[in-house]
Amino acid sequence: MATINKKNPDNGVQLGNTPWGNLSALRYSLKTNAAGAVINADSALPLGVNDVVNIGHLPAGFRFVDSQVLVKTGMTATVTGDLGFAYKDGVDVTATPQDADYFGAALDVAAAARLRNATANGSVVLPKDAHLTLTVKGAANAKASEIEVVIYGIAEGVK
């Protein structure tokens, strides 16, 4: 019987100063007012169908491994959303293309829930800075809501 040792040339940059790893959880909050507009945003208009909300910054060199959406107070009935990412400079990368529903498609953000990532997408490392995006689907929002998004990843650095 042979002993086989796997080579690890793709192990990535091992950042962090702890022996148990470099897993991070990035937390983002999205709140809307009674009219359905995003609080603390550059627009006072209520969210409409196909509007894209840049929720927050996703750093270059971050490897996505999981996500969770906590709908504390849901949006208007039948509102769904696609959760993904888009590069801040707007220029796509062939090896790691932008994906508007990387973390989930048609997520029910109208009812209080805890939604785990159920996609079949493999893990990717961002080659450059990106926005975490929510694309509104189903209906326009016309009420106060509160949603928290947590993206889990490994800080590997840009190769």
Side-chain angles (χ1 to χ4, degrees), residues 47-53 75-83 100-101 104-110 134-141:
L47 290 174
V49 175
N50 294 322
D51 283 354
V52 177
V53 181
M75 293 185 176
T76 300
T78 72
V79 174
T80 62
D82 294 347
L83 188 66
D101 61 3
L107 298 170
D108 182 358
V109 292
L134 178 71
T135 305
V136 178
K137 301 288 185 173
N141 185 46

Side-chain angles (χ1 to χ4, degrees), residues 9-80:
D10 291 345
N11 230 15
V13 179
Q14 300 298 313
L15 302 176
N17 59 357
T18 60
W20 48 86
N22 52 1
L23 181 69
S24 297
L26 303 177
R27 181 183 167 274
Y28 306 89
S29 179
L30 175 64
K31 295 180 182 180
T32 61
N33 62 24
V38 175
I39 295 172
N40 196 22
D42 61 359
S43 172
L45 297 174
L47 290 174
V49 175
N50 294 322
D51 283 354
V52 177
V53 181
N54 291 329
I55 299 174
H57 172 78
L58 294 168
F62 196 68
R63 177 181 293 278
F64 302 141
V65 294
D66 202 359
S67 67
Q68 188 168 188
V69 178
L70 294 88
V71 182
K72 294 178 180 179
T73 305
M75 293 185 176
T76 300
T78 72
V79 174
T80 62

Side-chain angles (χ1 to χ4, degrees), residues 92-153:
D92 214 353
V93 175
T94 305
T96 311
Q98 303 173 101
D99 190 341
D101 61 3
Y102 178 87
F103 300 107
L107 298 170
D108 182 358
V109 292
R114 183 178 299 261
L115 310 170
R116 292 298 307 263
N117 184 335
T119 70
N121 295 326
S123 70
V124 297
V125 178
L126 285 178
K128 56 186 175 177
D129 291 340
H131 294 290
L132 175 64
T133 61
L134 178 71
T135 305
V136 178
K137 301 288 185 173
N141 185 46
K143 69 180 279 274
S145 65
E146 183 175 359
I147 297 169
E148 183 176 325
V149 178
V150 180
I151 304 297
Y152 299 96

